[in-house]
């Protein structure tokens, strides 16, 4: 198998997980996605919106609900593309949208034109070359436009996840199911040791992507390729590209500023505005 991690055949089957999740999308999940997206980018009335790595299409749909005049959604995984098309056709008939199978590395300003808002939530760290993916996506907002993205924060356990994820992504369904059982058992134990109950945790469970707990666990354990980044490294990348941070939602851990990451790393969210000066570096 090729070692080029930007190629889809080396990736975890994200799209299969999204396809199985998408049947559960109701107005509740849509409303939560709307609230989550609005918190990052505000109202989108009349805006042209690009969703890179759209997965289920739920957030492309949320962008339409927030008033976007046109939504372009792309994903590298054919199952994600088919799922997003199905979700949008069902929930957003009559709106202006398209879903294309294309990699972030092949997106170009010439072919697509500029966007008022470019959105890539939990995607660029799964592309096999996060820094190149950030630069590529950053070329697409219009001057003064918004680039909102979420990336895994760096945790102490990254060394472990970089070994576990490629194994899980290639493992048989039975081996994956066993891995999920072990993970969930350890998670329950962790909750019990800290005086919390798994049943209460599940009852209140809502991932910010609308997923249920079991789809989320599968996505976390298999999410390969995997990279992570610190907020100061994001800033160092974005400044020379002539972006200014509008807001961010980041978390610092208690262990020398980093979380341990025993059950996962979690995403930090960043919102940047492209300089309105026409000549970007
Ligand atoms: C964890 S999912 C996130 C989906 C969605 N953005 C969300 O927040 O629910 C990551 C998605 O990125 C897609 N992806 C991975 N590499 C990509 C690339 N090079 N170009 C576009 N999408 C990519 C995967 O196929 C997957 O659907």
């Amino acid at each position: 198998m090729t070692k080029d991690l930007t190629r889809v055949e080396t990736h975890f089957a994200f799209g299969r997980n999204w396809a199985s999740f998408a049947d559960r999308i109701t107005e509740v999940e849509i409303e939560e996605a709307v609230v989550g997206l609005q918190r990052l980018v505000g109202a989108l009335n009349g805006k042209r919106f690009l969703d890179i790595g759209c997965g289920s299409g739920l957030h492309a749909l949320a962008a339409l609900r927030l008033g976007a005049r046109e939504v372009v959604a792309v994903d590298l995984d054919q199952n994600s593309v088919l799922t997003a098309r199905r979700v949008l056709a069902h929930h957003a008939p009559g709106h202006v949208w398209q879903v294309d199978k294309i990699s972030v590395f092949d997106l170009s300003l010439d072919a697509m034109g500029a966007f008022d808002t470019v959105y890539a939530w939990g995607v660029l760290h799964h592309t096999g070359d996060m820094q190149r993916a950030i630069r590529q996506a950053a070329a697409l907002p219009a001057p003064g436009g918004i680039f909102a993205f979420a990336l895994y924060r760096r945790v102490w356990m990254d060394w472990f996840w970089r070994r576990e994820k490629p194994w899980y992504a290639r493992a048989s369904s039975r081996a994956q199911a066993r891995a999920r059982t072990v993970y969930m058992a350890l998670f329950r134990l962790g909750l019990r040791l800290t005086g919390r109950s798994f049943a209460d945790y599940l009852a209140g469970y809502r991932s910010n992507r609308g997923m249920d707990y079991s789809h989320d666990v599968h996505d976390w354990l298999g999410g390969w390729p995997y990279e992570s980044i610190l907020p100061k490294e994001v800033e160092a990348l974005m400044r020379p590209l002539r972006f200014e941070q509008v807001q961010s939602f980041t978390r610092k851990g208690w262990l020398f500023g980093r979380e341990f990451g025993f059950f996962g790393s979690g995403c930090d969210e960043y919102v940047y505005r492209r300089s309105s000066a026409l000549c970007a570096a």
Side-chain angles (χ1 to χ4, degrees), residues 189-265:
L189 182 66
L191 285 178
R192 194 171 315 147
L193 291 175
T194 50
R196 288 172 290 168
S197 112
F198 187 61
D200 288 350
Y201 176 83
L202 275 192
Y205 189 82
R206 276 260 156 236
S207 96
N208 52 4
R209 313 320 290 158
M211 274 209 199
D212 57 282
Y213 180 68
S214 65
H215 282 89
D216 252 353
V217 168
H218 184 55
D219 185 84
W220 166 252
L221 291 178
W224 181 255
Y226 172 80
E227 290 177 78
S228 60
I229 192 164
L230 297 171
K232 65 178 182 204
E233 294 169 339
V234 172
E235 184 64 12
L237 263 168
M238 296 303 290
R239 280 217 156 252
L241 299 174
R242 305 197 46 174
F243 279 82
E244 283 224 351
Q245 194 173 101
V246 178
Q247 60 171 339
S248 67
F249 300 93
T250 62
R251 233 174 42 215
K252 260 196 178 170
W254 48 271
L255 198 57
F256 301 106
R258 256 190 240 178
E259 291 177 347
F260 197 66
F262 195 69
F263 293 111
S265 50

Side-chain angles (χ1 to χ4, degrees), residues 152-158 160-161 165 183 187 220-221 226 251 259-267:
Y152 281 132
R153 69 181 62 99
R154 186 155 311 141
V155 293
W156 291 112
M157 287 282 287
D158 272 347
F160 171 79
W161 298 117
K165 284 164 181 282
Y183 174 91
F187 188 69
W220 166 252
L221 291 178
Y226 172 80
R251 233 174 42 215
E259 291 177 347
F260 197 66
F262 195 69
F263 293 111
S265 50
C267 281

Side-chain angles (χ1 to χ4, degrees), residues 156-174:
W156 291 112
M157 287 282 287
D158 272 347
W159 62 271
F160 171 79
W161 298 117
R162 275 197 290 270
R163 285 163 181 75
E164 179 279 333
K165 284 164 181 282
W167 168 79
Y168 185 99
R170 285 195 297 268
S172 66
S173 329
R174 282 177 65 179

Side-chain angles (χ1 to χ4, degrees), residues 11 14 18 52-55 59 75-77 80 102-105 121-123 126-127 209 219:
H11 289 204
F14 288 103
W18 288 119
I52 301 176
C54 59
H59 292 82
D75 203 291
L76 178 65
D77 185 315
S80 293
I102 181 166
S103 168
V104 64
F105 300 117
W121 209 103
V123 174
H126 284 314
T127 57
R209 313 320 290 158
D219 185 84

